[in-house]
Amino acid sequence: MPGLKAFRPIKIEQGSPAQWALRIAGFAAIVYLALSPFFRNLKANEYGQLTDIAIFALAATSLNLLVGFTGQISIGHSAFFGLGAYTTAILIHTHGWSPGWTFPIAALLCFTVGVMVGIPALRLTGVYLSLVTLALAQLFPALVRKFDDLTGGSRGIQGLRYNPPSWTGLSHSTLDQRIWLYAVSLFFLLIGYIVVRNLVKSRVGRAMVAVRDNTTAAAVMGVHVAVVKTVTFGISAALAGLAGCVFVLRQTQANPDNVNYTILGAIIFLVIMVIGGTASMLGPVVGAIVYYRVDQFTRDLPTKDYLPGWMKDFLKDRPNLATVVFATLLILLMFVAPFGIVGLAKRIGRRFVLVIPRPPVKGGAAAAPPVEEALEAIPATPFETAATSQPTQGGP
C-alpha cells in the first residue's frame, strides 16, 4: 500500500533516554502481568493454570539455553524434568524433608546427570545428538518402574503437599496453597531467566553462540568447546529439574505415566520454545502462554455455547480432534511466524521503531551493542541449527 511504503520508522539511538523509556515500559508491563494475579480474586484452578504456564516456561527456558544459544538439539529434557520431580517426591515422602530444601538438591543432581550425559555426547551434533537424548527420554519412565522400592513404580508417590510458610500469612486452604505455588513457580522462572540472561550476556554466552554457529571456527578461536557444551548441558538440565520440582508439588503426586515425564513432554517443551522463538529471552514465556491457552481452548471446543448444535455433536466424544485443531493452528503459525511470535513481533516493531547503533568512538573501536540484542537479532530454530551443524571427524 502506498501509505505504508511512505511510512518511515522512528529512529532511536541505542542507549538513548528514549530507548531506556521503552525498556522500562516493557519491563513494567511484564511485572504487571506477572504480579496482578496476586491482587485479583481468582479461583484456585485459575492459579493452578498460571502455575502450569510458569512451569512450562521454565522448562522451555532451560531447553532454549541448550538449543537456541548453543545449538545442541535435545529431545530428552523430560528426563531431567522427571528426575527433579522424583528427587523432590522421594526426599519428601521417604526422608521427610521440607519441600523447600529439596530444590537445591534436585538442581545439583540434575546438573551432575546433565554433565554426565553431555560428556559422551561431545562428538555428536544435530540428529545424532537428538537420538541420544531421545533414548534418555525413553529410558527414564522405564527406570522409574524398575526401581519401584524407591520410586513407587507404577503406583507412584502420593500425598505431596507444599504448605505456605507462616511468614507468608497464607493458610493451608486449597486456594492459599495454589497462590503459594504460583509464587514459587514465578520465583524459579525469574531465577531461570536471570541465569540464562547473565550467561548469554557474558563471554560464556559469546562462546556458546560461536559453538552454535561453527564449532570448528570456535575451537580455532580458542573456545574450549567441550567445557562450553558440557557445562551448558548441566545448567540446562538443572533448570529443567527445578521446573519438575514445582510440577510434582503442583500435581501432589509423582507418577511415571504423566506425559511430561515421557518423550511427549520433551516434544511439548520443544514446541513451546519454537512457538515463542528460539534464541530469544522472552520466547519461552510467550510460547508457554500461547501453547497452554490454545491447547486449553481446543480441548474445550465441544463445550462452547457459540458453536452450532451439529458441530457440538460432531466434536463430542472425539478428543483427538482437539489435537488436530491445535496441530493445524501450529502449522499456520509457523507459516506466519517462522521465527516464533517474538521474532514476528520484532519484525513488525522495526517498521515503527528502529534502534540505531551507537556511532564509533573517536580514537577507538565502535561501541558494540549489547550481547543480548546481537544474539536476538540472529534468527535461529532447532531445524536451522541441525541443518547448519555438520558432524566433524576427530572433534573435541
Side-chain angles (χ1 to χ4, degrees), residues 136-209:
L136 180 65
Q138 182 69 25
L139 184 63
F140 178 77
L143 290 176
V144 170
R145 293 184 176 90
K146 176 67 175 178
F147 298 97
D148 54 350
D149 293 339
L150 180 65
T151 64
S154 298
R155 302 183 308 274
I157 300 175
Q158 312 292 329
L160 303 174
R161 295 172 64 88
Y162 192 9
N163 294 321
S166 58
W167 55 265
T168 61
L170 299 173
S171 66
H172 293 178
S173 65
T174 302
L175 177 60
D176 284 354
Q177 281 188 338
R178 297 292 174 83
I179 294 175
W180 169 242
L181 278 180
Y182 173 62
V184 172
S185 64
L186 207 61
F187 171 76
F188 282 115
L189 177 58
L190 177 62
I191 293 296
Y193 178 87
I194 292 175
V195 169
V196 174
R197 184 179 183 274
N198 287 345
L199 276 175
V200 170
K201 289 179 67 68
S202 66
R203 294 181 59 185
V204 177
R206 291 192 289 272
M208 288 160 49
V209 174

Side-chain angles (χ1 to χ4, degrees), residues 307-341:
L307 292 179
W310 64 268
M311 187 173 292
K312 287 185 179 180
D313 294 337
F314 178 74
L315 293 174
K316 188 177 181 181
D317 299 328
R318 288 186 170 93
N320 291 334
L321 284 178
T323 305
V324 173
V325 173
F326 178 81
T328 303
L329 293 176
L330 178 61
I331 293 173
L332 291 176
L333 175 63
M334 290 298 97
F335 274 108
V336 176
F339 302 127
I341 296 176

Side-chain angles (χ1 to χ4, degrees), residues 40-211:
R40 296 160 56 190
N41 294 323
L42 300 180
K43 299 178 181 178
N45 67 313
E46 292 175 320
Y47 280 109
Q49 293 172 3
L50 293 175
T51 303
D52 289 338
I53 292 174
I55 291 171
F56 282 139
L58 178 56
T61 297
S62 70
L63 188 60
N64 190 34
L65 175 65
L66 189 67
V67 178
F69 293 109
T70 315
Q72 301 183 82
I73 300 179
S74 172
I75 316 180
H77 260 50
S78 58
F80 302 120
F81 187 88
L83 180 60
Y86 266 90
T87 301
T88 292
I90 292 170
L91 290 177
I92 293 175
H93 183 264
T94 306
H95 302 283
W97 282 41
S98 171
W101 289 106
T102 66
F103 295 140
I105 302 301
L108 181 60
L109 178 61
C110 290
F111 175 85
T112 304
V113 175
V115 171
M116 292 173 62
V117 173
I119 290 175
L122 286 175
R123 293 180 176 271
L124 303 174
T125 57
V127 66
Y128 305 100
L129 178 59
S130 65
L131 289 176
V132 171
T133 56
L134 181 65
L136 180 65
Q138 182 69 25
L139 184 63
F140 178 77
L143 290 176
V144 170
R145 293 184 176 90
K146 176 67 175 178
F147 298 97
D148 54 350
D149 293 339
L150 180 65
T151 64
S154 298
R155 302 183 308 274
I157 300 175
Q158 312 292 329
L160 303 174
R161 295 172 64 88
Y162 192 9
N163 294 321
S166 58
W167 55 265
T168 61
L170 299 173
S171 66
H172 293 178
S173 65
T174 302
L175 177 60
D176 284 354
Q177 281 188 338
R178 297 292 174 83
I179 294 175
W180 169 242
L181 278 180
Y182 173 62
V184 172
S185 64
L186 207 61
F187 171 76
F188 282 115
L189 177 58
L190 177 62
I191 293 296
Y193 178 87
I194 292 175
V195 169
V196 174
R197 184 179 183 274
N198 287 345
L199 276 175
V200 170
K201 289 179 67 68
S202 66
R203 294 181 59 185
V204 177
R206 291 192 289 272
M208 288 160 49
V209 174
V211 170

Side-chain angles (χ1 to χ4, degrees), residues 56-57 60 267-277 283-288 291:
F56 282 139
I267 294 175
I268 289 174
F269 303 153
L270 187 63
V271 168
I272 290 173
M273 182 191 65
V274 174
I275 289 175
V285 179
V286 175
Y291 168 82

